[in-house]
Amino acid sequence: MTADFSRNTFNPRKHYSDVLLQQGRVQLDADWNEQQSINAHRRERLGIDVVGPSGAPQDDPGFGLALTADGSDLTIASGRYYVDGIACDAEPGQRLAFSSSGDNKALVALPRADLADFRAGQWVLLNVTADASQMLRITAVAPADGGFTLTLAGAVTRPPTPASGSFNGVLRRITTYLTQPDFPNPDFASAAAGANPATLALPKGLYVAYLDVWQRLVTALDDPDIRESALGGPDTAVRTRTIRQLKLLAVTPPATDAPACGTAFPEWDALTGGTSGALSARAAPSLGQSGPCLIPPGGGYRGLDNQLYRVEIHDAGADGSATFKWSRDNGSVVTRIRGFNGSTLTVDSTGPDDALGLANGQWVEIIGAADELHGRPGQLIQIATVQPATSTVSFAASPTPIDASLNPKMRRWDGAATVVPAGGGGWLDLELGVQVQFTAGQYATGDHWLIPARSGATASVEWHHAAPQPPAGIVHHFARIGLLRWAGAPAGSLLTDCRRTFAPLTDIPPALHVTGISWQNDDVLQLSQFVAGLSISMDGAPIGQYTVNLDPGTGTPVPTNVALMTVSDNSMVVTVEIPTPVPNQPANAQPALTMPVPVVLPGNPISWQAKSNTLLWVPSPTAQSVVNALSGGQARVRVRMKGNFIWGDLGQQRLYLDGEVRGQPGLSASRTNSLRTDLAFPSGCGRRYSDFESWFTLQLAATPVSLRGFGLNAAVLLGDGALTGQVVLASVAQSAVTVTLSASSAPAIPVVLNGGNPLTIPAGQTNASFPITVAAPPSSSVVNVTASVAAIPNSQLTTTLTTNFTVVVLAVGVSPPTALLLAGTSQQFTASVGSSGVAIPGGVDTGVSWSCSGGSVSASGNYVAPGAAGVFAVVATSVADPRRSAQATVTVRVKGKDKDKDKEAAADKTVRLDKAVLAEKVSDVVVRPAVVSPVIASPAVISSPVILQRSFIAPAQRPEVGPPPPATPEPPAPPAPSKAPGKTKGKSKKGG
């Protein structure tokens, strides 16, 4: 509890009963609080001893559930319910007078201040006559003269009189799952949209409705009425409030049996198992001295103030992922947030001083009432600056705003969220010598430990525990309220009441009660089970004992010990109703003839077994022979125990059987989709004695085989692989049942069912599983799988069921398929994942992962070439099916080096000489004018027309850039042949 306490001294193992004050002594908060803890502990223990783990008084049972007519909400009945001895009250709404004209309006005459009690989305119960009621939902609330007007989802039903005009009635608000005060915005609630309030959004399935009960500390920040205004501001004591939240838990139905209130569910066990992490605390030990002249550093608590350290789990999880925070003053420095303005928050107060106030650099948690009630951590953020003059606090980032109606608060922590070390780790330093150590385990948000630290002469941390301690809170108490089988609409859904009720001690006389039976009421019992016997469990033992053994030769029961028995054929009667034809009547008009089957016959009595308080009835040989002689069909069996003739002794008091049981809806375990009348145990109607009655249908012939369900463990198979199918019968197999399996697909897929063999369901079982394998499918396809049993002529029983799964053969493509890159450059590749034959079903990941044989490639397919030349592969692999991949080929080249440039310069020189000779040879050629790009002429190079017209100049033919090379003397030209006078041809040479 985050309040300004000195310490918590309550320890139930010390068995203290009172805290007594002494005169002239100092009074401490810890003494007062320990007395309150003693009272609460005694009160809860007494409640558990009297009521049990949970229960409701018969005259005022609370938290009963019912579906609204449209299935949009669950109503919660007013009354009381005890959970682990804690009284939980659901108060009825106040009865208010209203007037209406027969439309969807109800005018309530109340002051405007009471408007807050009514909101859109709530439900009201209206009465306009003494014996008729109507439940409607509020869609809007608006002020009106002298009160307010409720707009309802339907018209108010007009009473017989008056026939017209307005009329009066009484209404009261009903608490529902969506509008319960202690659990705002509960799970499975759709989001409100505009004027439409939230509705119940449950997927089809089975749910456990339960109460989650815990204690929440309430301060003057949560309830202003706690503060005494005459004191001028300071607060005084705080309060604890019992939080009772009705929640829904989705559970997995059992495979065979119909779920009941006491059915074990793994999800329920995980919920109620609690956390497993623990913590130890200590003061830092003194370090040993390492030299004869050295003084060792001191250990213990080094703080100057007495503190109550609080270590609290922030983020839930296991060790290694859960986080914790801590405070040196039990997290009691807290203020209300008045407004959010980006990164600046306005608060009630920044604190009276440095010790109890807010300062720059401190860590605070911003949290609202909804987070606290849902057990969620708040926003842990570090303060940037505090402005006491304006009561503002600023942060580096903007916190998420919290609605003012949810009472946002800011709580100071002295240590930020730190990860609980994996495996628990070693000792962790908080500050000033205070150390803690965690254990490996699971931790929940809000789990906390209180560690008193005392200065002065002791300088110690008060932790008087040898072993690590579980959290001091928050302690949650759970109780099942009901089971909801939701079919998607109220029609077809079933709500089972799991509440236990009790009457006042003065009203219920002690009695024996029936606590269970070996058959299901109003269901089918096989003949073999009937012959084996019927057992009835009780919470006490009737007088007498009769031990029965079986004759080794004949198997006939033989009594070996006879004593006085109050249970006999006079007090317990089992009858079989055998249909008997009536002469001259149609075949379907067969009245039932009741044949009594005596209970106690020679060698065949009721047997009471003292250890289990069980009555065992086995039919006599005579009665069994009559039953065995019956052929075909079914017969009804009734079991009746006379409460006034069955008794036991409790000391000097005689207890009789209070065996009356109440019926409740149940599902048949042997009839497909059929409801039956279940019995609510334990028996008892609060009387001294009453009769027990039950009935069932005896199956005289083998039950026809039919199918109830056929399913697969997966709907999609990626390529080749295996699935598992399961076939469920509508009833228990009396003998081995053969199920024929077949598969079809287009295009054809190689599918093998159960290794190519029929499926066999053994006798006594209701289901069996088989493997489905697919090898090397050529393409994607939908595979239909059919299971069938032998058809029954002229029967409407289900003998064939079909389901399907999709085989998906993924194909991966990479674009572009090839690439030519220089070293160090990049190329973006893209990949596609497709399927031929059928579209890829939703839920199959169509992404790829990238890899390469050289260089690097990002998660998005951006490839960067390496620094060396070579040929490399870039591969895209399917995430969903890593067996499917595609690749692109990348050729990487490297730029020329300096020695290559030298070779290129030498080649250039040779080309220039060749060009000069060529120009001389073609000097007489006339070339048409051509437009060419300007070039830089190199010395001693004559550009020829042929060269000028080239669109591409090889590196060796490119003109030189820079200073010309030194002139090289050329050899003298040979003498020219004789020509005509004046016609001398020579070589022209330009100087560099």
Side-chain angles (χ1 to χ4, degrees), residues 114-156:
D114 294 323
L115 275 175
D117 293 335
F118 290 85
R119 298 186 304 275
Q122 295 175 341
W123 292 78
V124 290
L125 185 68
L126 303 98
N127 290 87
V128 295
T129 61
D131 56 353
S133 61
Q134 183 181 13
M135 190 170 64
L136 294 173
R137 196 172 198 178
I138 302 174
T139 59
V141 181
D145 293 337
F148 56 89
T149 299
L150 301 178
T151 302
L152 307 173
V156 181

mmCIF file of all heavy atoms in Angstrom, residues 114-156:
data_model
loop_
_atom_site.group_PDB
_atom_site.id
_atom_site.type_symbol
_atom_site.label_atom_id
_atom_site.label_comp_id
_atom_site.label_asym_id
_atom_site.label_seq_id
_atom_site.Cartn_x
_atom_site.Cartn_y
_atom_site.Cartn_z
ATOM 1 N N ASP A 114 -27.136 14.401 -9.423
ATOM 2 C CA ASP A 114 -27.174 12.945 -9.518
ATOM 3 C C ASP A 114 -27.043 12.444 -10.942
ATOM 4 O O ASP A 114 -27.199 11.259 -11.200
ATOM 5 C CB ASP A 114 -28.478 12.422 -8.918
ATOM 6 C CG ASP A 114 -28.541 12.678 -7.423
ATOM 7 O OD1 ASP A 114 -27.497 12.566 -6.762
ATOM 8 O OD2 ASP A 114 -29.633 12.995 -6.943
ATOM 9 N N LEU A 115 -26.776 13.318 -11.892
ATOM 10 C CA LEU A 115 -26.636 12.887 -13.279
ATOM 11 C C LEU A 115 -25.455 11.922 -13.447
ATOM 12 O O LEU A 115 -25.482 11.048 -14.317
ATOM 13 C CB LEU A 115 -26.418 14.101 -14.193
ATOM 14 C CG LEU A 115 -27.675 14.829 -14.679
ATOM 15 C CD1 LEU A 115 -27.275 16.064 -15.453
ATOM 16 C CD2 LEU A 115 -28.525 13.932 -15.541
ATOM 17 N N ALA A 116 -24.438 12.074 -12.619
ATOM 18 C CA ALA A 116 -23.242 11.261 -12.791
ATOM 19 C C ALA A 116 -23.512 9.787 -12.565
ATOM 20 O O ALA A 116 -22.739 8.943 -13.000
ATOM 21 C CB ALA A 116 -22.139 11.743 -11.834
ATOM 22 N N ASP A 117 -24.579 9.438 -11.862
ATOM 23 C CA ASP A 117 -24.887 8.034 -11.611
ATOM 24 C C ASP A 117 -25.482 7.356 -12.823
ATOM 25 O O ASP A 117 -25.630 6.141 -12.834
ATOM 26 C CB ASP A 117 -25.851 7.907 -10.425
ATOM 27 C CG ASP A 117 -25.194 8.330 -9.124
ATOM 28 O OD1 ASP A 117 -23.956 8.254 -9.043
ATOM 29 O OD2 ASP A 117 -25.922 8.738 -8.206
ATOM 30 N N PHE A 118 -25.886 8.105 -13.829
ATOM 31 C CA PHE A 118 -26.517 7.534 -15.008
ATOM 32 C C PHE A 118 -25.696 7.940 -16.243
ATOM 33 O O PHE A 118 -25.379 9.107 -16.426
ATOM 34 C CB PHE A 118 -27.966 8.016 -15.157
ATOM 35 C CG PHE A 118 -28.893 7.448 -14.113
ATOM 36 C CD1 PHE A 118 -29.017 8.062 -12.878
ATOM 37 C CD2 PHE A 118 -29.629 6.304 -14.373
ATOM 38 C CE1 PHE A 118 -29.864 7.545 -11.917
ATOM 39 C CE2 PHE A 118 -30.481 5.786 -13.419
ATOM 40 C CZ PHE A 118 -30.594 6.404 -12.172
ATOM 41 N N ARG A 119 -25.363 6.930 -17.069
ATOM 42 C CA ARG A 119 -24.588 7.177 -18.284
ATOM 43 C C ARG A 119 -25.121 6.297 -19.404
ATOM 44 O O ARG A 119 -25.789 5.279 -19.158
ATOM 45 C CB ARG A 119 -23.109 6.863 -18.065
ATOM 46 C CG ARG A 119 -22.423 7.706 -17.011
ATOM 47 C CD ARG A 119 -20.922 7.411 -16.994
ATOM 48 N NE ARG A 119 -20.652 6.006 -16.794
ATOM 49 C CZ ARG A 119 -20.587 5.422 -15.607
ATOM 50 N NH1 ARG A 119 -20.793 6.126 -14.502
ATOM 51 N NH2 ARG A 119 -20.315 4.142 -15.507
ATOM 52 N N ALA A 120 -24.820 6.703 -20.610
ATOM 53 C CA ALA A 120 -25.195 5.889 -21.763
ATOM 54 C C ALA A 120 -24.487 4.545 -21.682
ATOM 55 O O ALA A 120 -23.317 4.457 -21.307
ATOM 56 C CB ALA A 120 -24.831 6.604 -23.059
ATOM 57 N N GLY A 121 -25.221 3.491 -22.031
ATOM 58 C CA GLY A 121 -24.683 2.146 -21.960
ATOM 59 C C GLY A 121 -25.142 1.369 -20.752
ATOM 60 O O GLY A 121 -25.041 0.139 -20.721
ATOM 61 N N GLN A 122 -25.652 2.067 -19.708
ATOM 62 C CA GLN A 122 -26.167 1.381 -18.533
ATOM 63 C C GLN A 122 -27.557 0.796 -18.831
ATOM 64 O O GLN A 122 -28.214 1.148 -19.804
ATOM 65 C CB GLN A 122 -26.236 2.341 -17.345
ATOM 66 C CG GLN A 122 -24.883 2.847 -16.876
ATOM 67 C CD GLN A 122 -25.004 3.889 -15.785
ATOM 68 O OE1 GLN A 122 -26.060 4.494 -15.596
ATOM 69 N NE2 GLN A 122 -23.922 4.123 -15.061
ATOM 70 N N TRP A 123 -27.977 -0.114 -17.953
ATOM 71 C CA TRP A 123 -29.285 -0.742 -18.077
ATOM 72 C C TRP A 123 -30.128 -0.369 -16.871
ATOM 73 O O TRP A 123 -29.614 -0.198 -15.760
ATOM 74 C CB TRP A 123 -29.148 -2.264 -18.151
ATOM 75 C CG TRP A 123 -28.497 -2.748 -19.411
ATOM 76 C CD1 TRP A 123 -27.158 -2.732 -19.700
ATOM 77 C CD2 TRP A 123 -29.139 -3.317 -20.552
ATOM 78 N NE1 TRP A 123 -26.931 -3.247 -20.943
ATOM 79 C CE2 TRP A 123 -28.127 -3.626 -21.496
ATOM 80 C CE3 TRP A 123 -30.462 -3.597 -20.878
ATOM 81 C CZ2 TRP A 123 -28.410 -4.212 -22.733
ATOM 82 C CZ3 TRP A 123 -30.737 -4.183 -22.103
ATOM 83 C CH2 TRP A 123 -29.729 -4.477 -23.020
ATOM 84 N N VAL A 124 -31.425 -0.249 -17.086
ATOM 85 C CA VAL A 124 -32.368 0.059 -16.005
ATOM 86 C C VAL A 124 -33.500 -0.958 -16.059
ATOM 87 O O VAL A 124 -33.876 -1.453 -17.129
ATOM 88 C CB VAL A 124 -32.920 1.496 -16.099
ATOM 89 C CG1 VAL A 124 -31.842 2.504 -15.778
ATOM 90 C CG2 VAL A 124 -33.511 1.761 -17.471
ATOM 91 N N LEU A 125 -34.029 -1.262 -14.881
ATOM 92 C CA LEU A 125 -35.189 -2.132 -14.754
ATOM 93 C C LEU A 125 -36.386 -1.253 -14.413
ATOM 94 O O LEU A 125 -36.365 -0.531 -13.409
ATOM 95 C CB LEU A 125 -34.964 -3.174 -13.656
ATOM 96 C CG LEU A 125 -36.050 -4.239 -13.495
ATOM 97 C CD1 LEU A 125 -36.066 -5.158 -14.705
ATOM 98 C CD2 LEU A 125 -35.816 -5.053 -12.223
ATOM 99 N N LEU A 126 -37.411 -1.284 -15.242
ATOM 100 C CA LEU A 126 -38.579 -0.415 -15.075
ATOM 101 C C LEU A 126 -39.784 -1.246 -14.666
ATOM 102 O O LEU A 126 -40.014 -2.338 -15.209
ATOM 103 C CB LEU A 126 -38.888 0.332 -16.389
ATOM 104 C CG LEU A 126 -37.755 1.180 -16.979
ATOM 105 C CD1 LEU A 126 -37.039 0.399 -18.082
ATOM 106 C CD2 LEU A 126 -38.283 2.495 -17.532
ATOM 107 N N ASN A 127 -40.549 -0.730 -13.716
ATOM 108 C CA ASN A 127 -41.803 -1.345 -13.283
ATOM 109 C C ASN A 127 -42.904 -0.291 -13.371
ATOM 110 O O ASN A 127 -42.806 0.769 -12.742
ATOM 111 C CB ASN A 127 -41.695 -1.863 -11.850
ATOM 112 C CG ASN A 127 -40.794 -3.072 -11.736
ATOM 113 O OD1 ASN A 127 -39.585 -2.937 -11.580
ATOM 114 N ND2 ASN A 127 -41.381 -4.251 -11.798
ATOM 115 N N VAL A 128 -43.933 -0.587 -14.160
ATOM 116 C CA VAL A 128 -45.096 0.295 -14.225
ATOM 117 C C VAL A 128 -46.309 -0.350 -13.568
ATOM 118 O O VAL A 128 -47.302 0.316 -13.299
ATOM 119 C CB VAL A 128 -45.418 0.683 -15.674
ATOM 120 C CG1 VAL A 128 -44.284 1.514 -16.252
ATOM 121 C CG2 VAL A 128 -45.658 -0.548 -16.526
ATOM 122 N N THR A 129 -46.201 -1.673 -13.314
ATOM 123 C CA THR A 129 -47.210 -2.393 -12.533
ATOM 124 C C THR A 129 -46.483 -3.254 -11.520
ATOM 125 O O THR A 129 -45.267 -3.467 -11.610
ATOM 126 C CB THR A 129 -48.108 -3.265 -13.427
ATOM 127 O OG1 THR A 129 -47.286 -4.234 -14.095
ATOM 128 C CG2 THR A 129 -48.841 -2.423 -14.465
ATOM 129 N N ALA A 130 -47.217 -3.799 -10.575
ATOM 130 C CA ALA A 130 -46.590 -4.558 -9.505
ATOM 131 C C ALA A 130 -45.991 -5.870 -9.987
ATOM 132 O O ALA A 130 -45.024 -6.366 -9.410
ATOM 133 C CB ALA A 130 -47.598 -4.816 -8.396
ATOM 134 N N ASP A 131 -46.545 -6.447 -11.042
ATOM 135 C CA ASP A 131 -46.120 -7.787 -11.466
ATOM 136 C C ASP A 131 -45.462 -7.808 -12.841
ATOM 137 O O ASP A 131 -45.296 -8.876 -13.425
ATOM 138 C CB ASP A 131 -47.318 -8.734 -11.465
ATOM 139 C CG ASP A 131 -48.450 -8.214 -12.332
ATOM 140 O OD1 ASP A 131 -48.342 -7.055 -12.807
ATOM 141 O OD2 ASP A 131 -49.440 -8.937 -12.516
ATOM 142 N N ALA A 132 -45.128 -6.693 -13.415
ATOM 143 C CA ALA A 132 -44.505 -6.662 -14.733
ATOM 144 C C ALA A 132 -43.286 -5.757 -14.694
ATOM 145 O O ALA A 132 -43.325 -4.665 -14.119
ATOM 146 C CB ALA A 132 -45.490 -6.167 -15.788
ATOM 147 N N SER A 133 -42.183 -6.224 -15.278
ATOM 148 C CA SER A 133 -40.950 -5.434 -15.329
ATOM 149 C C SER A 133 -40.395 -5.463 -16.746
ATOM 150 O O SER A 133 -40.720 -6.341 -17.548
ATOM 151 C CB SER A 133 -39.907 -5.965 -14.340
ATOM 152 O OG SER A 133 -39.566 -7.298 -14.651
ATOM 153 N N GLN A 134 -39.532 -4.503 -17.017
ATOM 154 C CA GLN A 134 -38.957 -4.357 -18.354
ATOM 155 C C GLN A 134 -37.530 -3.848 -18.200
ATOM 156 O O GLN A 134 -37.271 -2.909 -17.431
ATOM 157 C CB GLN A 134 -39.795 -3.377 -19.182
ATOM 158 C CG GLN A 134 -39.351 -3.201 -20.615
ATOM 159 C CD GLN A 134 -40.225 -2.185 -21.354
ATOM 160 O OE1 GLN A 134 -40.994 -1.444 -20.724
ATOM 161 N NE2 GLN A 134 -40.101 -2.142 -22.669
ATOM 162 N N MET A 135 -36.589 -4.454 -18.906
ATOM 163 C CA MET A 135 -35.187 -4.057 -18.822
ATOM 164 C C MET A 135 -34.776 -3.428 -20.148
ATOM 165 O O MET A 135 -34.897 -4.045 -21.212
ATOM 166 C CB MET A 135 -34.301 -5.258 -18.515
ATOM 167 C CG MET A 135 -32.860 -4.862 -18.166
ATOM 168 S SD MET A 135 -31.885 -6.247 -17.531
ATOM 169 C CE MET A 135 -31.856 -7.311 -18.960
ATOM 170 N N LEU A 136 -34.291 -2.181 -20.084
ATOM 171 C CA LEU A 136 -33.895 -1.444 -21.283
ATOM 172 C C LEU A 136 -32.531 -0.794 -21.054
ATOM 173 O O LEU A 136 -32.151 -0.494 -19.907
ATOM 174 C CB LEU A 136 -34.927 -0.364 -21.637
ATOM 175 C CG LEU A 136 -36.325 -0.857 -22.060
ATOM 176 C CD1 LEU A 136 -37.265 0.320 -22.210
ATOM 177 C CD2 LEU A 136 -36.241 -1.662 -23.350
ATOM 178 N N ARG A 137 -31.852 -0.516 -22.156
ATOM 179 C CA ARG A 137 -30.541 0.115 -22.086
ATOM 180 C C ARG A 137 -30.665 1.619 -22.310
ATOM 181 O O ARG A 137 -31.461 2.068 -23.138
ATOM 182 C CB ARG A 137 -29.602 -0.478 -23.150
ATOM 183 C CG ARG A 137 -28.131 -0.167 -22.897
ATOM 184 C CD ARG A 137 -27.229 -0.919 -23.844
ATOM 185 N NE ARG A 137 -25.848 -0.967 -23.348
ATOM 186 C CZ ARG A 137 -24.851 -1.592 -23.950
ATOM 187 N NH1 ARG A 137 -25.082 -2.228 -25.091
ATOM 188 N NH2 ARG A 137 -23.644 -1.587 -23.439
ATOM 189 N N ILE A 138 -29.857 2.389 -21.561
ATOM 190 C CA ILE A 138 -29.829 3.839 -21.706
ATOM 191 C C ILE A 138 -28.955 4.192 -22.900
ATOM 192 O O ILE A 138 -27.816 3.728 -23.023
ATOM 193 C CB ILE A 138 -29.285 4.508 -20.434
ATOM 194 C CG1 ILE A 138 -30.136 4.143 -19.213
ATOM 195 C CG2 ILE A 138 -29.222 6.015 -20.600
ATOM 196 C CD1 ILE A 138 -29.569 4.644 -17.905
ATOM 197 N N THR A 139 -29.468 5.006 -23.793
ATOM 198 C CA THR A 139 -28.684 5.470 -24.944
ATOM 199 C C THR A 139 -28.236 6.920 -24.797
ATOM 200 O O THR A 139 -27.285 7.336 -25.456
ATOM 201 C CB THR A 139 -29.491 5.312 -26.240
ATOM 202 O OG1 THR A 139 -30.701 6.074 -26.129
ATOM 203 C CG2 THR A 139 -29.840 3.845 -26.484
ATOM 204 N N ALA A 140 -28.927 7.706 -23.945
ATOM 205 C CA ALA A 140 -28.536 9.101 -23.746
ATOM 206 C C ALA A 140 -29.126 9.590 -22.432
ATOM 207 O O ALA A 140 -30.172 9.110 -21.984
ATOM 208 C CB ALA A 140 -29.005 9.979 -24.901
ATOM 209 N N VAL A 141 -28.439 10.561 -21.799
ATOM 210 C CA VAL A 141 -28.910 11.210 -20.568
ATOM 211 C C VAL A 141 -28.848 12.712 -20.809
ATOM 212 O O VAL A 141 -27.810 13.238 -21.222
ATOM 213 C CB VAL A 141 -28.036 10.825 -19.360
ATOM 214 C CG1 VAL A 141 -28.564 11.495 -18.098
ATOM 215 C CG2 VAL A 141 -27.974 9.316 -19.189
ATOM 216 N N ALA A 142 -29.971 13.399 -20.555
ATOM 217 C CA ALA A 142 -30.030 14.838 -20.812
ATOM 218 C C ALA A 142 -30.728 15.536 -19.653
ATOM 219 O O ALA A 142 -31.691 14.991 -19.080
ATOM 220 C CB ALA A 142 -30.773 15.124 -22.119
ATOM 221 N N PRO A 143 -30.263 16.734 -19.267
ATOM 222 C CA PRO A 143 -30.939 17.483 -18.212
ATOM 223 C C PRO A 143 -32.362 17.863 -18.646
ATOM 224 O O PRO A 143 -32.656 18.025 -19.826
ATOM 225 C CB PRO A 143 -30.068 18.724 -18.031
ATOM 226 C CG PRO A 143 -28.773 18.398 -18.692
ATOM 227 C CD PRO A 143 -29.074 17.437 -19.775
ATOM 228 N N ALA A 144 -33.226 17.989 -17.654
ATOM 229 C CA ALA A 144 -34.609 18.411 -17.895
ATOM 230 C C ALA A 144 -35.065 19.219 -16.686
ATOM 231 O O ALA A 144 -34.402 19.243 -15.640
ATOM 232 C CB ALA A 144 -35.516 17.206 -18.131
ATOM 233 N N ASP A 145 -36.189 19.911 -16.851
ATOM 234 C CA ASP A 145 -36.724 20.699 -15.746
ATOM 235 C C ASP A 145 -37.032 19.802 -14.570
ATOM 236 O O ASP A 145 -37.847 18.886 -14.667
ATOM 237 C CB ASP A 145 -37.977 21.438 -16.201
ATOM 238 C CG ASP A 145 -37.675 22.506 -17.241
ATOM 239 O OD1 ASP A 145 -36.509 22.976 -17.283
ATOM 240 O OD2 ASP A 145 -38.592 22.844 -18.003
ATOM 241 N N GLY A 146 -36.386 20.085 -13.437
ATOM 242 C CA GLY A 146 -36.649 19.314 -12.228
ATOM 243 C C GLY A 146 -36.019 17.949 -12.217
ATOM 244 O O GLY A 146 -36.358 17.130 -11.367
ATOM 245 N N GLY A 147 -35.107 17.626 -13.108
ATOM 246 C CA GLY A 147 -34.499 16.305 -13.129
ATOM 247 C C GLY A 147 -33.729 16.083 -14.410
ATOM 248 O O GLY A 147 -33.057 16.972 -14.912
ATOM 249 N N PHE A 148 -33.845 14.879 -14.968
ATOM 250 C CA PHE A 148 -33.181 14.567 -16.222
ATOM 251 C C PHE A 148 -34.002 13.520 -16.957
ATOM 252 O O PHE A 148 -34.841 12.819 -16.375
ATOM 253 C CB PHE A 148 -31.750 14.073 -15.983
ATOM 254 C CG PHE A 148 -31.643 12.892 -15.059
ATOM 255 C CD1 PHE A 148 -31.719 11.593 -15.546
ATOM 256 C CD2 PHE A 148 -31.460 13.074 -13.693
ATOM 257 C CE1 PHE A 148 -31.619 10.514 -14.699
ATOM 258 C CE2 PHE A 148 -31.360 11.995 -12.849
ATOM 259 C CZ PHE A 148 -31.434 10.709 -13.336
ATOM 260 N N THR A 149 -33.747 13.423 -18.247
ATOM 261 C CA THR A 149 -34.486 12.503 -19.109
ATOM 262 C C THR A 149 -33.554 11.415 -19.608
ATOM 263 O O THR A 149 -32.462 11.708 -20.101
ATOM 264 C CB THR A 149 -35.102 13.242 -20.304
ATOM 265 O OG1 THR A 149 -36.007 14.231 -19.823
ATOM 266 C CG2 THR A 149 -35.846 12.273 -21.221
ATOM 267 N N LEU A 150 -34.006 10.175 -19.462
ATOM 268 C CA LEU A 150 -33.278 9.030 -19.986
ATOM 269 C C LEU A 150 -33.874 8.648 -21.329
ATOM 270 O O LEU A 150 -35.086 8.443 -21.444
ATOM 271 C CB LEU A 150 -33.363 7.838 -19.029
ATOM 272 C CG LEU A 150 -32.827 8.038 -17.605
ATOM 273 C CD1 LEU A 150 -33.028 6.767 -16.796
ATOM 274 C CD2 LEU A 150 -31.374 8.451 -17.633
ATOM 275 N N THR A 151 -33.024 8.555 -22.342
ATOM 276 C CA THR A 151 -33.447 8.008 -23.635
ATOM 277 C C THR A 151 -33.073 6.534 -23.650
ATOM 278 O O THR A 151 -31.925 6.177 -23.404
ATOM 279 C CB THR A 151 -32.759 8.738 -24.794
ATOM 280 O OG1 THR A 151 -33.065 10.133 -24.713
ATOM 281 C CG2 THR A 151 -33.239 8.202 -26.130
ATOM 282 N N LEU A 152 -34.056 5.679 -23.912
ATOM 283 C CA LEU A 152 -33.881 4.237 -23.793
ATOM 284 C C LEU A 152 -33.852 3.588 -25.169
ATOM 285 O O LEU A 152 -34.279 4.170 -26.170
ATOM 286 C CB LEU A 152 -35.007 3.644 -22.943
ATOM 287 C CG LEU A 152 -35.191 4.308 -21.568
ATOM 288 C CD1 LEU A 152 -36.436 3.777 -20.880
ATOM 289 C CD2 LEU A 152 -33.959 4.071 -20.701
ATOM 290 N N ALA A 153 -33.324 2.363 -25.215
ATOM 291 C CA ALA A 153 -33.191 1.643 -26.483
ATOM 292 C C ALA A 153 -34.523 1.123 -27.003
ATOM 293 O O ALA A 153 -34.610 0.697 -28.153
ATOM 294 C CB ALA A 153 -32.219 0.482 -26.326
ATOM 295 N N GLY A 154 -35.574 1.154 -26.197
ATOM 296 C CA GLY A 154 -36.898 0.711 -26.621
ATOM 297 C C GLY A 154 -37.968 1.518 -25.929
ATOM 298 O O GLY A 154 -37.704 2.294 -24.994
ATOM 299 N N ALA A 155 -39.201 1.340 -26.378
ATOM 300 C CA ALA A 155 -40.328 2.070 -25.788
ATOM 301 C C ALA A 155 -40.717 1.456 -24.459
ATOM 302 O O ALA A 155 -40.657 0.236 -24.269
ATOM 303 C CB ALA A 155 -41.518 2.066 -26.744
ATOM 304 N N VAL A 156 -41.102 2.306 -23.521
ATOM 305 C CA VAL A 156 -41.571 1.855 -22.217
ATOM 306 C C VAL A 156 -42.973 1.270 -22.386
ATOM 307 O O VAL A 156 -43.858 1.900 -22.975
ATOM 308 C CB VAL A 156 -41.577 3.016 -21.207
ATOM 309 C CG1 VAL A 156 -42.051 2.530 -19.845
ATOM 310 C CG2 VAL A 156 -40.199 3.652 -21.112
#
